[in-house]
Amino acid sequence: HDDGVMCGTAVVLEDAPERIEQEFVRCARGAPEQTALVCGSTTCSYRALDERSDVLARRLRTAGIGRAARVGIYLERNVELVVAILGVLKSGAAYVPFEPAQPWLRVAPMMKDAELALVVTSASLRERFGSDAPLLLIDSSDDGVPVDSAPERERGVRGDLAYVMYTSGSSGRPKGVMIEHGSVLNFFGAMDELIS
């Protein structure tokens, strides 16, 4: 296409996105029925992934989550994990992933250090948290947020925090490495140039 570049098979206009989720949304609008994600026997189209992450973003915004907040993600590696990542980004917040397979005594101090506004998890993992922990269960919709409503959007910038990744801590205490949207978009842009 003369006026854009390819995103999978979706045409993306040349005006550069400011945030990661904006690039995803443009891909989803360009090829909504194309497969976006395969996890075991589960297949998810761009449209389904976009809609499910919109619902989660709306739930997060209703819970008071927005730009500059940090939201923990404590989920098994499945479709819900990707929905959670996109949903947090669409809410304007940054995500902080944690691995449920790690010992809780290792995870809990990292969650405290990250200064999380809340944690997105599942009902099956809920029991690992205290009764007063601020949680949003991805597999529960008891918060009354309409499932067909799109999230309110804040205009973000490339310098916004996208995620915090904790180091292994093999040389001492794990440290959170902060990654901005612009860094991720620059990386993907460089990779596109290398393979095209």
Side-chain angles (χ1 to χ4, degrees):
H1 228 277
D2 293 337
D3 58 349
V5 295
M6 298 301 286
C7 178
T9 59
V11 175
V12 176
L13 299 178
E14 289 290 357
D15 52 316
E18 294 294 322
R19 294 172 52 92
I20 298 164
E21 74 277 8
Q22 292 171 346
E23 182 65 22
F24 169 79
V25 168
R26 294 193 325 175
C27 289
R29 289 179 180 163
E33 303 311 324
Q34 182 179 334
T35 298
L37 180 64
V38 177
C39 184
S41 61
T42 304
T43 301
C44 195
S45 69
Y46 274 100
R47 183 194 306 277
L49 195 53
D50 190 35
E51 290 174 351
R52 289 181 64 183
S53 58
D54 268 354
V55 171
L56 181 61
R58 180 65 184 222
R59 292 176 66 196
L60 288 164
R61 292 300 297 257
T62 300
I65 301 301
R67 194 171 171 195
R70 296 181 190 180
V71 174
I73 296 178
Y74 190 73
L75 292 166
E76 305 289 351
R77 295 185 182 196
N78 53 30
V79 173
E80 280 69 33
L81 176 63
V82 180
V83 170
I85 290 171
L86 287 168
V88 170
L89 293 175
K90 286 180 175 184
S91 77
Y95 70 91
V96 188
F98 299 97
E99 178 58 62
Q102 288 189 332
W104 183 252
L105 288 176
R106 177 177 174 79
V107 172
M110 290 189 288
M111 285 191 174
K112 183 176 181 181
D113 180 71
E115 299 179 347
L116 304 173
L118 62 74
V119 177
V120 176
T121 189
S122 63
S124 63
L125 297 170
R126 168 70 182 86
E127 64 186 23
R128 300 187 187 185
F129 296 84
S131 58
D132 60 343
L135 303 177
L136 189 149
L137 302 182
I138 197 166
D139 48 0
S140 172
S141 57
D142 294 338
D143 46 22
V145 177
V147 296
D148 59 349
S149 59
E152 298 172 19
R153 307 263 171 150
E154 284 187 71
R155 177 145 180 88
V157 298
R158 291 174 71 87
D160 283 348
L161 185 63
Y163 63 92
V164 178
M165 186 69 66
Y166 274 83
T167 62
S168 65
S170 56
S171 60
R173 194 179 77 169
K175 295 179 177 62
V177 179
M178 296 186 284
I179 309 296
E180 297 177 346
H181 284 265
S183 298
V184 177
L185 293 170
N186 289 343
F187 172 77
F188 284 128
M191 294 302 292
D192 281 345
E193 288 181 12
L194 283 175
I195 62 175
S196 60

